[in-house]
């Protein structure tokens, strides 16, 4: 009886606090104020890291930068320099996250099908710059999964500013606008990605795009899988910019949680 009395009192107190409005809770009838929302983590996650493609994007150097950091955070990382890893059904069924840096490459139909299936089923995908943003130019389903495709970087390596759009999302929280000296990617972008950071083109190198606001960092879903992308990171030295490095690390963590955290819903066809 004592426990039942407590439950009734808790029910009455909760309803009174809600007033006449409707109390909506996800996955439970009542909220537990003692529950603290868990932050994304790589600890205990299985990661497949696939690198190669155009050497100008420093695939090996970026591998040597990020893989030790992931392992330090407690991730179990399998490193591969071949897309044939996507054909390993046992491996693909076990991974929580796939990171790919494979600019201007070719992928077979079987390799792509297994990759798409794995992400749809709940593994995460993360990458940056051309590693997934300009990986397979003839593979439109892959581009649909990523949420964008590179088409130009007017002026080549230039100075530009990155603006943080969302100061509450865990990937960009507490970060401020920052400057880059690198390629400013002009991309074809899915209008329903969740944009976390943007850049604005000046028109100096292509006057007809003066004032264009372009997504730089976004996240999305493909099936059940989380997909994270940043257009930063033309070469490994770009990650000496602390904000660029931090965004990438946080993006890895977020994408690795597809199987373990609730899916996020949004329709955000507005960038600025």
């Amino acid at each position: 009886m004592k426990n039942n009395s407590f439950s009734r009192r808790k029910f009455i107190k909760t309803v009174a606090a809600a007033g006449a409005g409707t109390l909506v809770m996800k996955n439970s009838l009542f909220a537990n104020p003692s529950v603290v929302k868990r932050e994304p983590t790589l600890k205990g996650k299985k990661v497949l890291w696939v690198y190669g493609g155009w050497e100008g994007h420093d695939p090996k150097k970026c591998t040597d930068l990020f893989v030790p950091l992931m392992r330090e955070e407690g991730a179990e990382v399998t490193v591969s320099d071949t897309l044939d890893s996507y054909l390993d059904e046992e491996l693909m069924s076990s991974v929580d996250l796939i990171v790919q840096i494979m600019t201007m490459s070719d992928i077979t139909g079987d390799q792509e099908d297994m990759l798409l299936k794995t992400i749809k089923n709940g593994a995460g995908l993360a990458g940056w710059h051309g590693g997934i943003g300009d990986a397979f130019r003839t593979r439109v389903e892959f581009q649909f999964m990523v949420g964008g495709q590179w088409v130009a970087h007017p002026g080549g390596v230039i100075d530009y500013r990155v603006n943080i759009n969302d100061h509450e999302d865990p990937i960009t929280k507490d970060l401020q606008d920052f400057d880059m000296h690198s390629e400013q990617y002009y991309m074809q972008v899915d209008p329903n990605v969740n944009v976390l950071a943007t850049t604005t083109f000046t028109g100096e190198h292509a006057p007809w795009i003066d004032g264009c606001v372009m997504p730089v960092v976004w996240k999305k879903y493909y099936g059940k899988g989380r997909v994270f992308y940043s257009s930063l990171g033309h070469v490994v030295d770009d990650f000496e910019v602390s904000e660029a490095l931090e965004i990438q690390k946080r993006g890895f963590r977020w994408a690795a949680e597809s199987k373990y955290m609730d899916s996020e819903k949004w329709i955000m066809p507005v960038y600025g």
Side-chain angles (χ1 to χ4, degrees):
M1 291 297 295
K2 184 177 180 180
N3 290 338
N4 289 341
S5 298
F6 174 77
S7 297
R8 286 195 295 270
R9 288 198 300 272
K10 184 177 181 181
F11 174 83
I12 293 169
K13 183 177 179 181
T14 303
V15 171
T22 301
L23 187 63
V24 179
M25 299 295 176
K26 189 171 185 177
N27 296 329
S28 64
L29 182 59
F30 299 111
N32 185 345
S34 66
V35 174
V36 178
K37 185 176 181 181
R38 182 173 68 81
E39 293 297 319
T41 180
L42 287 176
K43 187 175 181 178
K45 303 300 193 304
K46 293 184 178 181
V47 179
L48 172 60
W49 182 286
V50 182
Y51 75 96
W54 186 55
E55 290 294 333
H57 281 167
D58 289 348
K60 183 61 168 63
K61 291 180 180 178
C62 288
T63 299
D64 293 341
L65 169 66
F66 283 113
V67 169
L69 295 177
M70 299 177 105
R71 287 173 172 160
E72 286 176 8
E73 292 190 30
E76 178 184 327
V77 186
T78 299
V79 178
S80 171
D81 62 359
T82 173
L83 293 171
D84 281 340
S85 294
Y86 295 158
L87 300 177
D88 186 332
E89 293 188 21
E90 182 177 355
L91 173 64
M92 295 294 276
S93 66
S94 70
V95 296
D96 299 306
L97 173 66
I98 296 172
V99 179
Q100 178 187 288
I101 173 169
M102 193 71 69
T103 305
M104 291 188 291
S105 300
D106 294 314
I107 189 170
T108 69
D110 289 342
Q111 291 167 343
E112 182 186 38
D113 287 346
M114 182 62 75
L115 174 60
L116 298 175
K117 176 183 176 181
T118 301
I119 305 306
K120 277 185 178 179
N121 286 343
L125 174 70
W128 67 94
H129 205 62
I132 61 173
D134 188 26
F136 314 120
R137 294 181 179 179
T138 63
R139 297 290 181 172
V140 294
E141 186 67 22
F142 177 87
Q143 295 167 19
F144 180 41
M145 175 173 64
V146 172
Q149 168 64 34
W150 169 87
V151 290
H153 41 64
V157 175
I158 61 174
D159 294 319
Y160 67 95
R161 192 156 182 80
V162 177
N163 303 108
I164 303 298
N165 288 50
D166 190 331
H167 293 276
E168 300 299 324
D169 191 274
I171 296 175
T172 46
K173 186 176 182 180
D174 297 326
L175 298 181
Q176 303 302 316
D177 298 349
F178 58 97
D179 295 315
M180 294 294 298
H181 180 72
S182 186
E183 292 179 340
Q184 187 182 29
Y185 261 21
Y186 194 95
M187 305 187 73
Q188 296 174 338
V189 181
D190 181 343
N192 194 39
V193 297
N194 187 350
V195 178
L196 305 178
T198 60
T199 189
T200 302
F201 285 82
T202 65
E204 177 182 357
H205 305 287
W208 57 92
I209 62 169
D210 185 23
C212 174
V213 177
M214 179 63 57
V216 171
V217 178
W218 67 72
K219 60 183 187 177
K220 67 182 294 288
Y221 279 83
Y222 182 75
K224 297 178 181 178
R226 294 182 172 194
V227 178
F228 169 78
Y229 177 75
S230 167
S231 68
L232 307 174
H234 171 58
V235 291
V236 69
D237 288 349
D238 285 357
F239 292 110
E240 292 180 3
V241 178
S242 60
E243 294 89 348
L245 178 62
E246 186 63 23
I247 285 171
Q248 197 62 52
K249 292 194 297 182
R250 293 181 186 182
F252 291 152
R253 296 177 195 133
W254 179 82
E257 294 282 8
S258 299
K259 299 177 181 178
Y260 309 101
M261 299 181 78
D262 291 341
S263 61
E264 302 172 8
K265 304 296 183 182
W266 65 76
I267 293 185
M268 298 185 65
V270 179
Y271 302 147

